[in-house]
Amino acid sequence: LHVAVLASILSLIIYWIIRDRYRVRNLNGKHVFITGCDTGLGNSLAKWLDKRGFCVIAACATEKGSQELRCCSSLSLKTVNLNLADSSSIARAVVFVTEQTAGKGLFGLVSNAEGSAPVGPTDWLRIEDFHSVLDVSLLGLIEITLKLLPLLKKAEGRVVNLINAKGLMAFVGGGYSLSKWGMEAFSDILRREMQDFGVKVSIVEHGFFKAEEVNSDITEKYLFKLWNRLTPEIRDSCGEKYLGE
């Protein structure tokens, strides 16, 4: 019994030593750029890193989101408006990040923004429904990552892609699951390629969190919007019972 207790204590000590080796030190001057900071995880992460001394650059989709975040953060936190579906907006954000880092490089890029997601049977959807998600959650993520790679290489920083695990379960039609599987593939490929440059790439597969922008009313609204625009032929083939179920 004594041997088991001593072994447990020794294991715990070794664990703490190893864990502390990976703890980030000297946080001042380390810049972290986060997308999707209007609400939810991105907003919470921006505040959390700001309190711990990181130089946070938070990308928000709306000016209201930017103002509210600045009001409850330190003066070192900076915000920039970003529309990931717009290459011009991405280019402006990259210029802003480059100016803020002032030659130091980018310590971290956290991608969290998600596109709007019409949900419903695949044959109810149009190609623009897929674009509304993929242009933001996948193609926008790829574009801004590519443009920030030089800054990440300079600082030997890290890329962290937040992926909602429910998107990895392909149980509903639309671009949402496609974007999450695409993010997984992009991240895995980038991880292998960037290891020679000292850049780390991580995926955080988080669970489902109830947020203001995600609720059953919005899901139902999307569903009825899709139903109402269907051709009579498709509605007849499905029937009201199918819609209800």
Side-chain angles (χ1 to χ4, degrees), residues 152-221:
L152 289 160
K153 287 181 179 179
K154 188 166 189 176
E156 293 190 350
R158 67 282 326 278
V159 176
V160 180
N161 290 328
L162 303 184
I163 298 178
N164 196 321
K166 69 181 173 65
L168 300 176
M169 298 179 288
F171 63 90
V172 66
Y176 192 78
S177 292
L178 296 179
S179 70
K180 301 312 171 189
W181 282 103
M183 288 171 65
E184 290 266 346
F186 177 71
S187 302
D188 288 342
I189 293 167
L190 190 67
R191 182 184 304 112
R192 293 195 300 271
E193 295 175 342
M194 288 295 106
Q195 62 184 357
D196 293 332
F197 302 95
V199 176
K200 299 178 177 64
V201 179
S202 301
I203 302 170
V204 176
E205 296 176 354
H206 60 83
F208 182 76
F209 293 90
K210 185 176 181 180
E212 294 177 0
E213 67 274 14
V214 180
N215 58 54
S216 59
D217 292 338
I218 292 179
T219 301
E220 187 173 290
K221 180 182 177 181

Side-chain angles (χ1 to χ4, degrees), residues 131-172:
H131 276 295
S132 68
V133 181
L134 297 176
D135 287 351
V136 173
S137 298
L138 182 57
L139 298 179
L141 173 144
I142 292 173
E143 183 173 355
I144 199 162
T145 302
L146 294 177
K147 290 185 175 179
L148 289 174
L149 279 179
L151 294 178
L152 289 160
K153 287 181 179 179
K154 188 166 189 176
E156 293 190 350
R158 67 282 326 278
V159 176
V160 180
N161 290 328
L162 303 184
I163 298 178
N164 196 321
K166 69 181 173 65
L168 300 176
M169 298 179 288
F171 63 90
V172 66

